[in-house]
Amino acid sequence: MQYLASIVNFLLGLGAAVFVPIIIIIAGLIVRMKVKDAISSGITLGVAFTGMTMLINFMTGAITPAAEAMLETTGISLPITDGGWTTMSTISWSWPYAFLMFPLVIVINIIMLVLKKTDTFNADLWNVWGKIFTAVAAYYITNSVIIAFIIAGIQVIFELKSADFHQHRVEKMSGIPGVTCTHKMCFLAAPMYPVDWVLRKIPALNKSFNASDLKDKVGIFAENHILGFILGVLFGLLARYDVAGILTLGVQCATALTLFPVISKYFMQALEPISNAVSEFMQTKFSDRDLYVGLDWPFLGGANEIWLAVIWTVPVTLIMAFFLPGNQILPFAGIINIAIAVPAYFVTKGNVIRMLILCVIFEPAFLWVGTAFAPFMTELANTTKAVELAAGQMISCSSIDGPIQTYAFSHVMQFMDGNFIPLGILVVWVVCFVFYAKSLIKEKKEDEALAK
């Protein structure tokens, strides 16, 4: 067991930019790609991941000091430190049973493929930590490793089904055939769906209004570099920077928004060959089925709408953190909240206005869940010494992926102690998931009928 754990830890230590391409290269060879093509796709994917990570880190490094400056001017004290997703991942992997999650995820995927309960081959094994994160909370509530893994296994099943239902829309919106998204951040799309359904009943909001439409209406002001500069300047003003600082932040945001679509092209370049190879191979094995490759979210990074929503959510998060009852987390490392923008992008089909509204409505969930998870993550961090914390310091994340589902799944067993709130939230989430899935299935059938 210890030897297996060491191997897993070594592979994870390589980072997503190395680990995921290795998985893709191996998968390519299995589906009989030429060695040079498989290696080329894998390395190109590594380049894409690295480029996207560099840009996100660059953007975070530019915006976080401005957000911190805004916080300092308020004088409000919030006791929980925001460690972001990287710290949560580190702490999650320090759980003694974490390495067992790998075989669980793989076995469930294989069984569901064989039984024809999913059409998704999940290549995003890097994000196994998201299942561990849920399991850690479930373990600290129930004190049962078995229950923790059962709950994590149920999450895996929902991730695969979510990927199946989203695939058609993902392909249509990204332009990359044969891929889908298996990241659990997509779970937030389910409760967003009924809210968006109501918003679509408002005539002014039920029109196409994506980044291209925005460009048609306001011209040069919707160009990536101009829009990024404007947003950066506005954020610099809110942070009370001097003129030089304001202009610098403007250029930094302009740079990020200009380069995100450039990097996203490398995802398409890397993924299209492997997607085609998987499709051809599976046709020989499963002639009656189309199988898809499940991936992390960054291949969607070329969507300007996502980054507009991300930047918009920064001041929204800060303002809510000050005044939201029940919040105790100080937004910092998780301030760039992609986990709210991506599901909003899917649900609205890129309608920028509805995306911004949904981000405002659902941001409290991230702060509340981040606050709720602080005791578990702090205790695990202190027990394993995965992260050094000062005496009395608490740590969590202000942008936990799929916060509503994660909270409901991990806390559901509290009904045995008389707390039925997590169970009620879980029931509501499942109902939303079912109705959202039906809408995605209906959309796919309608598009296929039109294509005939």
Side-chain angles (χ1 to χ4, degrees):
M1 284 291 188
Q2 189 172 359
Y3 181 69
L4 178 59
S6 298
I7 294 175
V8 170
N9 289 332
F10 169 76
L11 291 172
L12 290 169
L14 298 174
V18 176
F19 179 74
V20 177
I22 289 175
I23 297 296
I24 289 296
I25 291 172
I26 293 173
L29 295 176
I30 290 174
V31 298
R32 300 174 185 171
M33 283 182 75
K34 293 180 179 179
V35 175
K36 66 180 182 67
D37 292 339
I39 293 174
S40 177
S41 291
I43 293 176
T44 302
L45 186 60
V47 170
F49 265 109
T50 301
M52 188 64 70
T53 300
M54 288 171 60
L55 276 179
I56 292 173
N57 289 341
F58 171 75
M59 190 171 176
T60 302
I63 288 181
T64 299
E68 193 174 18
M70 290 175 62
L71 288 169
E72 289 176 356
T73 60
T74 65
I76 295 175
S77 176
L78 297 169
I80 301 173
T81 301
D82 178 12
W85 76 266
T86 52
T87 303
M88 294 301 100
S89 174
T90 301
I91 296 174
S92 296
W93 278 112
S94 70
W95 189 44
Y97 309 100
F99 71 97
L100 295 174
M101 197 64 71
F102 257 119
L104 178 69
V105 170
I106 294 170
V107 168
I108 289 176
N109 196 175
I110 292 173
I111 291 174
M112 290 184 66
L113 282 170
V114 172
L115 296 179
K116 297 185 178 181
K117 299 302 181 181
T118 185
D119 294 318
T120 299
F121 157 66
N122 185 11
D124 182 25
L125 295 178
W126 168 256
N127 278 307
V128 164
W129 80 267
K131 273 70 77 175
I132 300 171
F133 185 80
T134 304
V136 165
Y139 171 74
Y140 275 91
I141 289 172
T142 64
N143 200 32
S144 170
V145 175
I146 294 176
I147 292 177
F149 272 89
I150 289 174
I151 290 173
I154 293 172
Q155 178 174 310
V156 173
I157 294 170
F158 271 100
E159 284 179 353
L160 291 170
K161 298 307 294 184
S162 172
D164 289 340
F165 299 142
H166 272 106
Q167 195 281 324
H168 178 70
R169 186 169 290 185
V170 168
E171 182 171 321
K172 189 164 62 172
M173 296 179 74
S174 70
I176 305 176
V179 299
T180 185
C181 185
T182 42
H183 201 292
K184 76 184 182 94
M185 66 172 62
C186 296
F187 284 150
L188 188 59
M192 282 183 171
Y193 171 71
V195 179
D196 186 64
W197 182 85
V198 173
L199 294 176
R200 281 186 275 117
K201 298 300 179 181
I202 302 173
L205 300 179
N206 193 20
K207 298 177 181 178
S208 175
F209 199 82
N210 55 28
S212 297
D213 298 321
L214 183 63
K215 186 180 297 186
D216 292 337
K217 294 181 183 298
V218 297
I220 190 174
F221 292 102
E223 294 284 351
N224 285 18
H225 59 297
I226 300 296
L227 186 57
F229 181 78
I230 292 172
L231 291 172
V233 167
L234 290 174
F235 208 62
L237 289 170
L238 290 172
R240 300 184 182 180
Y241 279 3
D242 58 20
V243 174
I246 291 171
L247 294 176
T248 298
L249 184 56
V251 172
Q252 289 173 328
C253 287
T255 301
L257 259 67
T258 300
L259 293 180
F260 276 125
V262 176
I263 295 298
S264 70
K265 293 177 182 177
Y266 289 97
F267 281 100
M268 184 177 296
Q269 183 178 327
L271 295 172
E272 191 164 2
I274 183 69
S275 173
N276 292 336
V278 169
S279 178
E280 291 174 6
F281 179 79
M282 291 305 176
Q283 284 297 321
T284 63
K285 303 295 181 181
F286 305 96
S287 57
D288 60 333
R289 299 171 66 186
D290 291 323
L291 296 188
Y292 314 110
V293 179
L295 296 166
D296 198 354
W297 74 270
F299 72 94
L300 300 162
N304 296 331
E305 297 86 354
I306 290 176
W307 301 109
L308 291 175
V310 166
I311 295 176
W312 160 261
T313 307
V314 172
V316 169
T317 301
L318 292 173
I319 293 170
M320 285 190 175
F322 303 153
F323 305 109
L324 185 68
N327 174 59
Q328 297 182 46
I329 190 168
L330 177 67
F332 187 64
I335 197 70
I336 301 298
N337 191 356
I338 297 162
I340 196 172
V342 170
Y345 176 66
F346 282 145
V347 169
T348 65
K349 300 181 186 178
N351 183 294
V352 174
I353 303 300
R354 297 207 308 271
M355 284 179 69
L356 301 186
I357 294 172
L358 288 175
C359 286
V360 173
I361 293 173
F362 283 89
E363 178 55 35
F366 287 88
L367 296 174
W368 282 327
V369 173
T371 298
F373 269 76
F376 315 125
M377 305 315 293
T378 301
E379 182 176 346
L380 184 59
N382 288 329
T383 301
T384 62
K385 304 299 181 184
V387 176
E388 291 295 330
L389 300 177
Q393 180 184 2
M394 299 185 73
I395 194 164
S396 188
C397 178
S398 66
S399 53
I400 292 172
D401 303 315
I404 295 174
Q405 168 273 334
T406 302
Y407 173 80
F409 272 39
S410 60
H411 287 66
V412 68
M413 297 305 293
Q414 286 186 336
F415 79 88
M416 298 183 69
D417 299 322
N419 180 10
F420 289 89
I421 294 177
L423 178 59
I425 293 174
L426 178 59
V427 171
V428 171
W429 180 83
V430 170
V431 171
C432 291
F433 183 88
V434 170
F435 279 100
Y436 179 49
K438 287 183 177 181
S439 74
L440 292 172
I441 294 170
K442 180 181 179 182
E443 175 186 295
K444 179 179 180 180
K445 289 181 178 178
E446 290 175 348
D447 286 350
E448 289 175 345
L450 289 173
K452 291 181 180 179

